Amino acid sequence: MANLHTPLRSNPSSSAQSFTSRILLLLTILPVSLAAIAFILQWRGGITDPTTLLTPPGSHRFPGMDPSPLSSISHSSSSNCINLGRSSAPSFPYYNNWKFDYDTNLKPKICITTSTSAGLDQILPWMFYHKVLGVTNFFLFVEGKAASPEVSKVLESISGVKVIYRTKELEEQQAKSRIWNETWLAGFFYKPCNYELFVKQSLNMEMAIVMAREAGMDWILHLDTDELIHPAGAREYSLRQLLLDVPGNVDMVIFPNYESSVERDDIKEPFSEVSMFKKNYDHLPKDTYFGMYKESTRGNPNYFLTYGNGKSVARIQDHLRPNGAHRWHNYMKTPNEIKLEEAAVLHYTYAKFSDLTSRRDRCGCKPTKEDVKRCFMLEFDRSAFIIASTGTEEEMLKWYNEHVVWGDKDIRMKLLRKGILTRIYAPMAIIQGLRESGVFSSIIASAPSLSKEKFLRSIDSSNSSRAVASVSLPSKKTVRTTESQAAARKVLDIESASFHEGAIPPLSPPAIDDDSLISHT
């Protein structure tokens, strides 16, 4: 009887094996089938990135990344040069075309003033990067290469740019200016090289304030052409948006500076090749800054190679004056300042090996420890000048790699993990995009040729050490304004005497033996 029921019983082990086999087969077939379906849909163009459904066409593209160079195509309405400026990307929504002609109602209006002798290869990327960030006007005080006919004709052709040449007339006018006859800048007078530049910058900034008021500017910033604003913390990557959010009772905004940290000794275009920066003391925990001080300096005189007290942007208002190249002040009050927690000035200092010799060639000091103190305010500049003046090319390159280049990968990674070093790619991407789109070449190509009169004038002036190309003086309106305030100035000199502190020079960050442990302001 038992044998009759035997075939009706299932084998438990064989049933389990069958079930397992079906599961394995299903798990094998399912991903293969899904992959095949995805491949067919993609091949037929049927897959749409879900993020593109949330934004209008073209808004996912980065401005300046159109593939066709402007210089190699006709400027037709359908060309990429027009599309470059009409991108609907939300990051930079306020410029109209590749020339960055701004809406006259754009607020706030921001201007940058600078004193420069650089060439177009440095000035144009610097300028158009800041145009992307919302800067509308530039007051360029030029000499040297920047004042040459080839460069100046391009600069003068750009919308929103005013070029001021260092002429005899300009120097005579500045010698009569208010700050030349005051005491707060007097400690920098009649000294060569960096001290002379510091005085020039301050005098130029004083004139730029008048020009900014005439142009209807809301904010003014003094920036060198080896510095870029990094507006981190704003809703847009925009200096305009950053300042738009500043409370109305704030007179000045301080941007702590970060310093470029190059990883090679053959950098040619720092703005496009450098992505690593050393953070400012103000943006680091105190324990991290002093705990990693030795690794951060690598035997150099200070944490930064050059200055560490940042730059400030000032609201245009009555009685505004410069306070050296790094700060602004007011004759009638102590300005209300804020310091930004994320935004910074990116300082590309000694980013190229050739910066060693270029600094040397600008100064006539003797390469001795005593004499260089007359020329340079900061210790690293003094050391760099001495090695550039006394060393061979091989010795200079060795010194540059030891003191400037961050070649040790382990040290780099350690400081990146600690937050001392940081990677910032936005300026590199913006400038590289502008360059590849042909913006710079189009500006150069569209610049008008020099007139015969201006050409002859530039030839005459090039025989002098000032190397200027034309005369540019303030308008009659400026002169009238100055005259109308002449009587009041005598009173201001007395009433605002308490505000006449010495000009703030470029300062090094706090050293490890600084007992106060507070940052310079």
Side-chain angles (χ1 to χ4, degrees):
M1 193 69 180
N3 292 335
L4 292 174
H5 294 281
T6 298
L8 299 176
R9 296 176 181 174
S10 61
N11 189 330
S13 61
S14 63
S15 177
Q17 290 176 356
S18 176
F19 179 75
T20 302
S21 299
R22 291 190 181 94
I23 292 297
L24 290 174
L25 181 62
L26 179 62
L27 293 176
T28 302
I29 293 174
L30 184 60
V32 173
S33 301
L34 291 175
I37 294 171
F39 175 78
I40 293 171
L41 290 175
Q42 186 178 31
W43 176 68
R44 296 181 60 186
I47 292 181
T48 301
D49 184 352
T51 60
T52 62
L53 299 175
L54 304 177
T55 55
S59 62
H60 63 285
R61 299 195 63 175
F62 194 88
M65 297 302 288
D66 298 277
S68 179
L70 295 176
S71 57
S72 62
I73 58 176
S74 61
H75 290 186
S76 64
S77 60
S78 61
S79 68
N80 283 325
C81 69
I82 301 300
N83 294 334
L84 168 64
R86 294 179 178 172
S87 168
S88 56
S91 298
F92 314 117
Y94 41 79
Y95 59 87
N96 298 326
N97 52 46
W98 67 271
K99 291 185 177 181
F100 297 85
D101 294 329
Y102 292 92
D103 183 350
T104 56
N105 296 320
L106 184 69
K107 288 289 183 177
K109 287 185 168 58
I110 308 165
C111 66
I112 291 179
T113 181
T114 191
S115 303
T116 182
S117 59
L120 292 176
D121 58 331
Q122 182 169 332
I123 295 177
L124 290 183
W126 170 85
M127 181 185 295
F128 278 86
Y129 169 82
H130 289 106
K131 278 179 172 282
V132 169
L133 267 58
V135 176
T136 58
N137 290 64
F138 296 82
F139 303 111
L140 307 181
F141 291 82
V142 299
E143 53 186 307
K145 186 186 296 184
S148 67
E150 295 79 10
V151 174
S152 61
K153 72 171 184 179
V154 175
L155 298 178
E156 290 183 337
S157 71
I158 301 173
S159 175
V161 174
K162 183 176 181 62
V163 181
I164 306 96
Y165 300 90
R166 180 147 291 276
T167 62
K168 181 181 179 181
E169 290 83 355
L170 177 69
E171 292 182 343
E172 289 175 350
Q173 185 176 7
Q174 290 185 337
K176 299 174 184 177
S177 71
R178 179 171 184 173
I179 64 176
W180 181 261
N181 296 291
E182 293 175 337
T183 59
W184 60 270
L185 192 62
F188 300 88
F189 290 166
Y190 309 115
K191 295 180 181 179
C193 202
N194 276 16
Y195 289 91
E196 181 183 8
L197 174 61
F198 189 79
V199 172
K200 284 182 182 178
Q201 289 173 329
S202 300
L203 293 169
N204 293 342
M205 290 164 70
E206 184 184 40
M207 292 187 69
I209 292 172
V210 178
M211 298 175 188
R213 297 195 73 156
E214 286 192 328
M217 296 292 105
D218 299 304
W219 294 91
I220 186 169
L221 169 66
H222 174 258
L223 211 62
D224 296 329
T225 51
D226 64 351
E227 298 170 328
L228 300 178
I229 288 291
H230 175 54
R235 292 195 298 272
E236 305 164 359
Y237 194 78
S238 160
L239 178 61
R240 187 193 66 85
Q241 184 63 58
L242 197 68
L243 296 178
L244 191 64
D245 295 336
V246 172
N249 66 332
V250 173
D251 302 308
M252 297 171 198
V253 180
I254 298 174
F255 289 76
N257 64 294
Y258 290 8
E259 192 172 77
S260 61
S261 300
V262 299
E263 300 166 76
R264 312 190 320 267
D265 61 15
D266 60 349
I267 299 292
K268 300 301 180 187
E269 297 175 348
F271 294 156
S272 298
E273 297 181 60
V274 177
S275 64
M276 191 169 74
F277 297 86
K278 188 185 289 187
K279 282 188 178 181
N280 193 285
Y281 168 83
D282 290 324
H283 285 182
L284 288 170
K286 187 185 300 182
D287 293 343
T288 300
Y289 177 85
F290 289 105
M292 301 297 296
Y293 191 86
K294 184 177 180 181
E295 290 88 343
S296 301
T297 57
R298 300 183 303 163
N300 286 325
N302 205 276
Y303 174 79
F304 276 161
L305 302 182
T306 51
Y307 79 89
N309 53 325
K311 291 289 181 75
S312 69
V313 57
R315 196 186 296 274
I316 301 294
Q317 55 186 286
D318 292 340
H319 313 301
L320 180 66
R321 71 160 172 88
N323 195 27
H326 294 259
R327 292 291 187 273
W328 305 87
H329 212 303
N330 192 293
Y331 281 109
M332 298 304 294
K333 65 178 181 179
T334 299
N336 181 22
E337 294 182 339
I338 61 171
K339 187 175 291 185
L340 297 177
E341 296 180 354
E342 296 179 71
V345 171
L346 306 181
H347 186 200
Y348 295 77
T349 184
Y350 289 98
K352 297 186 293 184
F353 173 64
S354 61
D355 288 343
L356 279 182
T357 53
S358 64
R359 291 169 188 262
R360 175 199 66 194
D361 296 340
R362 292 199 302 265
C363 298
C365 290
K366 298 176 182 178
T368 64
K369 290 185 178 181
E370 288 302 318
D371 203 53
V372 293
K373 292 179 181 179
R374 296 190 307 113
C375 287
F376 302 99
M377 304 179 200
L378 299 175
E379 189 61 37
F380 187 86
D381 286 330
R382 298 167 182 170
S383 300
F385 180 83
I386 290 175
I387 187 64
S389 301
T390 60
T392 64
E393 187 81 8
E394 183 179 351
E395 289 170 338
M396 283 192 290
L397 189 61
K398 182 176 183 293
W399 186 92
Y400 184 78
N401 276 280
E402 290 175 350
H403 293 269
V404 180
V405 179
W406 290 82
D408 190 321
K409 183 179 179 181
D410 292 336
I411 291 293
R412 290 203 309 264
M413 293 305 299
K414 182 178 181 180
L415 295 180
L416 283 166
R417 285 194 296 268
K418 291 289 185 178
I420 299 287
L421 297 176
T422 186
R423 295 283 183 183
I424 299 175
Y425 295 102
M428 174 189 293
I430 292 171
I431 290 175
Q432 189 61 28
L434 291 169
R435 179 177 287 110
E436 291 176 357
S437 298
V439 171
F440 308 143
S441 58
S442 292
I443 286 291
I444 295 172
S446 63
S449 58
L450 287 174
S451 66
K452 181 178 179 180
E453 179 184 353
K454 189 171 183 180
F455 176 76
L456 292 175
R457 194 187 313 145
S458 68
I459 293 297
D460 291 339
S461 61
S462 66
N463 293 326
S464 69
S465 59
R466 297 300 179 189
V468 295
S470 71
V471 177
S472 179
L473 295 175
S475 66
K476 292 181 179 180
K477 181 178 178 182
T478 305
V479 176
R480 286 197 300 270
T481 302
T482 303
E483 290 174 351
S484 66
Q485 294 174 349
R489 283 188 170 180
K490 295 180 181 179
V491 178
L492 292 178
D493 288 342
I494 298 172
E495 293 180 347
S496 62
S498 60
F499 300 108
H500 283 201
E501 302 173 355
I504 296 178
L507 299 173
S508 295
I512 197 169
D513 58 350
D514 186 351
D515 295 332
S516 64
L517 303 186
I518 59 174
S519 62
H520 298 291
T521 57

